[in-house]
């Protein structure tokens, strides 16, 4: 993800994530006279997942439509088993 400040539109803050790692926390600029707010992206996604009741909507017995490396596929399978979403 990329954060750009209106005071410096030519400068970017880039935050990356990989599948097995926790999503990042990062500073989000608001109004020019406000201090940045820290957004915990992992917590925000988890809250949206829970409130959206996605556990009931997603078929976790199937692999995702996107291609995954063998390492990420194993990680995903192990994680889903831990969460009892896959046998």
């Amino acid at each position: 993800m990329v954060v750009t400040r209106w005071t410096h539109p030519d400068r970017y803050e880039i935050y990356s994530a990989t599948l097995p790692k926790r999503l990042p926390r990062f500073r989000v600029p608001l109004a020019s006279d406000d201090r940045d707010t820290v957004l915990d992206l992992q917590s925000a996604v988890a809250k949206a997942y829970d409130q959206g009741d996605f556990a009931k909507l997603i078929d976790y017995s199937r692999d995702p439509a996107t291609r995954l490396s063998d390492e990420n596929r194993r990680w995903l399978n192990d994680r889903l088993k831990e969460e009892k979403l896959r046998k």
Side-chain angles (χ1 to χ4, degrees), residues 30-61:
L30 300 174
S32 61
D33 56 343
D34 286 342
R35 292 178 55 144
D36 289 354
T37 295
V38 175
L39 174 62
D40 183 341
L41 191 56
Q42 184 71 46
S43 293
V45 169
K47 187 173 184 176
Y49 176 87
D50 291 342
Q51 289 182 351
D53 214 12
F54 287 99
K56 293 179 182 174
L57 300 174
I58 298 172
D59 181 359
Y60 289 104
S61 66

Side-chain angles (χ1 to χ4, degrees), residues 9-87:
D10 55 332
R11 291 179 25 197
Y12 304 93
E13 296 172 26
I14 300 172
Y15 299 89
S16 63
T18 59
L19 194 56
K21 292 188 178 179
R22 186 185 195 289
L23 292 172
R25 291 179 183 95
F26 59 95
R27 295 176 302 131
V28 178
L30 300 174
S32 61
D33 56 343
D34 286 342
R35 292 178 55 144
D36 289 354
T37 295
V38 175
L39 174 62
D40 183 341
L41 191 56
Q42 184 71 46
S43 293
V45 169
K47 187 173 184 176
Y49 176 87
D50 291 342
Q51 289 182 351
D53 214 12
F54 287 99
K56 293 179 182 174
L57 300 174
I58 298 172
D59 181 359
Y60 289 104
S61 66
R62 299 177 55 187
D63 283 340
T66 189
R67 293 182 184 177
L68 296 175
S69 68
D70 290 341
E71 181 181 343
N72 282 338
R73 189 174 306 284
R74 281 190 297 276
W75 175 86
L76 177 61
N77 192 48
D78 291 346
R79 182 85 170 114
L80 291 172
K81 284 180 180 180
E82 286 175 18
E83 295 295 324
K84 297 182 180 12
L85 295 169
R86 187 178 277 184
K87 294 180 183 184

